[in-house]
Amino acid sequence: MRRRRKTVVVAVVIRRVLICAICVMTLLCFLTVHIYVAPFNRLPRRLHLNHHNTRRGDIIDYNKSITEQSLTRNLSRLESDEASSLLTKPKENEIQYQSSISEHIKNTELVPPHFSTSPSSSKLNMTSGIPDFDKLWKPPPNRNFVPCVNSNPSYTSPLESRGYLLVHTNGGLNQMRAGICDMVAIARIINATLVVPELDKRSFWQDTSKFSDVFDEDHFINALSKDIRVIKKLPKVIRAAKSDSRLANNNLPPDIQKLRCRACYEALRFSTKIRSMGKLLVDRMRSYGLYIALHLRFEKDMLAFSGCNHGLSASEAAELRKIRKNTAYWKVKDIDGRVQRLKGYCPLTPKEVGILLTALGYSSNTPIYIAAGEIYGGESRLADLRSRFSMLSSKENLATSEELKPFMNHSTQMAALDYIVSVESDVFIPSYSGNMARAVEGHRRYLGHRKTISPDRKGIVRLIDRIGRGAERDNRKVYERIIDIHKTRQGSPRRRKGPVSGTKGLERHRSEESFYENPLPDCLCQRDPSKAR
């Protein structure tokens, strides 16, 4: 009898132990799936990078990147009806990856995507584990500057139209954007009805995109209804052959300046398919954590036009000279590339960008989005940059070929995707101050002065050349000097710069800051100076 009782007790104990073990194993399985599968289960295979070679202190916590860092961003970025918006705010702790862009558009079309409206904050404890967060990622103090683009009380609705303004834009995406916004202001000034602009189909890019392929046409018309009358089609009456002839950057009536900002940041919204695909790319970059958007200008047409040939072979330089000579509408044919570079007029090469990022202190596993067209020289030209920073991504390897198919062979639409990812990045760095760089910097200033590092190209190349000549053997000293010259080039609030006194012609034009590069003071006001952070 005693033996039977002992057997029963042992059986009960074993059963309880087994039940506890099963519960523990079930819980562990649940936690394992939650932590490791969620961030990557739908990402393209090409995005899964090898992190085994990262330094111990640089290991990325991907679960923290998605949950805690997105929480930081969502808590600190406020929604505003005044600011233009192109991306939806992601649901908390959730990133959805669709197998095709059509499915993604269907799921998000009822809620138009928006840009978030203020920079991410560093004040939450959850960012304290990121090495050198304040130095590398923290946005500059915005001093409580906010968009103020509402018209004055005396501003009237459009009067009876005196005619029609037909606009044929030219250039790349951001040159066309600036031209369209200026033409909106001109239509108001001359009291004309604006016909929806025609996009450039004849320039270097040979893009067949219509206005409605790139921008939300109905939104554009409705958003400007209190400023000007916009219609989709009309017979020719008044024509601006090219919207290349810009309005002045400064000294225009305040209401006209505010209208330019409303047109640029509110009315000129990208089409639904572009906004949806842009959101998808941003979400995939954010799954890696904080990221840099690098606008890397090193395309063949840009180098040929500017005459910049540093780091190129003799045959490559000759090819660019031939292109410049044979392009009739490029007026300047003989350009000294060396002089251009020393004056700071050339883009930084991928190698020089790598040195800059290393000098500023970014680690080798920093996620970097390459916003660019086809790099001249291909993958081999990126070798020096990739040797320093292994986590290089682009729209081509973040998305599948099926997802990108609707945008292929349309350079304007592909540039729009780069624009969205660049505006939404934690840090934006352009290798050259072209139309895209200026437009993105201005938009980031409008949305709360997000961190934008503007390289001092003239200073950088002189320091790098000293390393090459062996005159400065201690790289650390060079790095410290690079850091020093960029302390005041981080995108903090300041008034737009006018032309340098005494300059003329092209030099005067280059020294004057574009309206769309810095909309302060015309479109940004200090909410309460006593509470500026």
Side-chain angles (χ1 to χ4, degrees):
M1 198 64 184
R2 203 174 283 174
R3 182 179 299 173
R4 184 179 298 173
R5 286 179 182 174
K6 186 180 292 186
T7 303
V8 171
V9 170
V10 171
V12 171
V13 170
I14 292 173
R15 184 171 61 183
R16 289 179 177 176
V17 169
L18 287 173
I19 290 173
C20 290
I22 292 170
C23 290
V24 169
M25 291 174 64
T26 303
L27 181 61
L28 286 174
C29 289
F30 173 77
L31 291 175
T32 302
V33 170
H34 176 73
I35 293 173
Y36 293 105
V37 175
F40 294 105
N41 61 343
R42 298 290 298 275
L43 283 174
R45 292 180 63 187
R46 286 170 290 179
L47 193 58
H48 294 203
L49 302 179
N50 185 353
H51 303 290
H52 296 299
N53 295 326
T54 57
R55 296 193 301 273
R56 196 172 200 176
D58 295 330
I59 294 176
I60 299 174
D61 184 343
Y62 289 101
N63 188 52
K64 182 175 180 181
S65 298
I66 294 175
T67 58
E68 296 184 358
Q69 293 177 19
S70 66
L71 178 60
T72 304
R73 194 185 310 269
N74 289 343
L75 287 175
S76 61
R77 291 186 174 178
L78 304 176
E79 290 294 327
S80 169
D81 292 335
E82 289 185 324
S84 170
S85 299
L86 305 184
L87 289 179
T88 46
K89 179 188 290 184
K91 294 181 181 178
E92 186 175 6
N93 302 343
E94 176 181 340
I95 297 178
Q96 296 181 338
Y97 297 107
Q98 282 72 21
S99 59
S100 69
I101 186 61
S102 59
E103 179 184 352
H104 185 72
I105 292 173
K106 180 175 68 176
N107 291 340
T108 61
E109 197 163 11
L110 296 178
V111 184
H114 293 307
F115 270 138
S116 45
T117 56
S118 63
S120 56
S121 171
S122 65
K123 295 182 179 179
L124 300 181
N125 291 334
M126 58 190 65
T127 62
S128 60
I130 302 175
D132 297 321
F133 178 87
D134 284 1
K135 182 178 75 172
L136 301 179
W137 301 101
K138 184 179 180 181
N142 65 23
R143 290 161 43 202
N144 274 11
F145 276 100
V146 295
C148 54
V149 296
N150 291 336
S151 54
N152 293 322
S154 59
Y155 191 81
T156 60
S157 296
L159 302 175
E160 184 178 353
S161 176
R162 298 171 56 192
Y164 301 93
L165 180 62
L166 275 71
V167 178
H168 292 254
T169 62
N170 73 308
L173 169 69
N174 294 288
Q175 187 173 335
M176 290 192 290
R177 277 172 56 92
I180 291 168
C181 296
D182 280 358
M183 291 301 119
V184 168
I186 288 174
R188 172 76 188 190
I189 292 171
I190 65 176
N191 194 26
T193 296
L194 178 67
V195 181
V196 168
E198 293 183 17
L199 302 188
D200 188 352
K201 297 179 174 64
R202 295 176 293 179
S203 289
F204 183 90
W205 299 274
Q206 298 292 304
D207 190 346
T208 60
S209 298
K210 304 186 300 294
F211 186 94
S212 59
D213 292 327
V214 180
F215 303 109
D216 187 330
E217 190 173 64
D218 291 333
H219 176 79
F220 179 74
I221 295 172
N222 295 331
L224 295 172
S225 61
K226 295 181 179 180
D227 304 294
I228 61 171
R229 187 177 176 221
V230 184
I231 59 176
K232 294 184 179 181
K233 293 181 180 179
L234 202 79
K236 302 175 183 178
V237 178
I238 300 174
R239 176 177 296 274
K242 293 181 182 291
S243 59
D244 214 22
S245 302
R246 300 277 185 258
L247 285 176
N249 292 310
N250 303 297
N251 303 319
L252 290 177
D255 275 333
I256 295 300
Q257 297 290 60
K258 292 178 185 295
L259 174 56
R260 293 168 85 180
C261 284
R262 291 199 299 275
C264 188
Y265 305 126
E266 296 179 5
L268 207 55
R269 187 172 72 181
F270 291 124
S271 65
T272 299
K273 70 172 185 177
I274 288 176
R275 300 195 318 265
S276 298
M277 188 66 215
K279 179 184 184 301
L280 200 64
L281 295 174
V282 169
D283 285 347
R284 289 176 180 176
M285 281 305 300
R286 284 182 179 162
S287 73
Y288 282 148
L290 303 177
Y291 74 91
I292 294 172
L294 171 62
H295 182 45
L296 191 59
R297 288 306 314 270
F298 217 74
E299 301 94 339
K300 180 187 291 187
D301 64 297
M302 187 273 171
L303 296 174
F305 175 78
S306 63
C308 298
N309 53 22
H310 180 73
L312 303 183
S313 67
S315 61
E316 288 174 328
E319 180 185 18
L320 297 182
R321 283 195 299 271
K322 185 177 180 180
I323 293 173
R324 186 165 64 252
K325 181 180 179 181
N326 293 336
T327 305
Y329 50 87
W330 290 353
K331 303 303 181 184
V332 182
K333 304 299 182 183
D334 296 321
I335 303 175
D336 188 328
R338 181 177 176 278
V339 173
Q340 288 283 93
R341 179 173 176 270
L342 291 177
K343 286 184 176 182
Y345 297 159
C346 287
L348 297 177
T349 66
K351 180 179 181 179
E352 290 166 345
V353 170
I355 294 173
L356 169 64
L357 293 175
T358 300
L360 293 176
Y362 290 99
S363 64
S364 61
N365 62 2
T366 300
I368 298 176
Y369 178 87
I370 303 292
E374 184 177 354
I375 301 297
Y376 188 50
E379 185 63 28
S380 62
R381 190 74 66 201
L382 293 174
D384 286 313
L385 177 60
R386 193 178 294 280
S387 69
R388 292 174 178 268
F389 297 93
S390 58
M391 292 184 64
L392 301 182
S393 299
S394 65
K395 53 189 174 295
E396 287 80 10
N397 60 26
L398 281 175
T400 65
S401 56
E402 180 185 0
E403 289 169 330
L404 281 181
K405 187 176 180 179
F407 311 96
M408 298 300 292
N409 302 318
H410 297 288
S411 60
T412 303
Q413 297 181 46
M414 295 288 269
L417 298 177
D418 283 342
Y419 185 95
I420 290 173
V421 182
S422 297
V423 170
E424 280 294 307
S425 65
D426 299 284
V427 177
F428 174 66
I429 304 178
S431 67
Y432 182 72
S433 56
N435 291 317
M436 166 85 164
R438 290 193 289 266
V440 171
E441 179 177 353
H443 206 152
R444 289 171 68 85
R445 287 181 179 277
Y446 185 82
L447 294 175
H449 289 89
R450 300 176 178 182
K451 185 161 186 166
T452 299
I453 300 176
S454 302
D456 180 349
R457 296 188 302 278
K458 184 176 179 179
I460 289 172
V461 299
R462 290 178 184 273
L463 286 171
I464 290 176
D465 286 351
R466 291 187 66 182
I467 295 175
R469 293 193 301 266
E472 189 70 76
R473 296 185 182 278
D474 187 352
N475 287 358
R476 176 48 51 191
K477 289 183 179 179
V478 173
Y479 289 175
E480 288 173 356
R481 292 170 70 180
I482 288 177
I483 291 172
D484 188 58
I485 64 178
H486 289 90
K487 284 181 178 178
T488 58
R489 305 175 71 92
Q490 309 267 330
S492 58
R494 58 171 175 75
R495 293 176 68 91
R496 188 168 57 254
K497 297 176 183 177
V500 174
S501 178
T503 56
K504 297 180 179 180
L506 184 58
E507 292 296 325
R508 181 178 178 84
H509 172 72
R510 281 174 166 163
S511 68
E512 183 177 17
E513 198 167 27
S514 164
F515 176 83
Y516 299 106
E517 184 177 0
N518 184 1
L520 195 156
D522 310 273
C523 303
L524 295 171
C525 304
Q526 218 163 0
R527 185 163 40 199
D528 185 349
S530 65
K531 296 181 181 180
R533 62 179 175 89

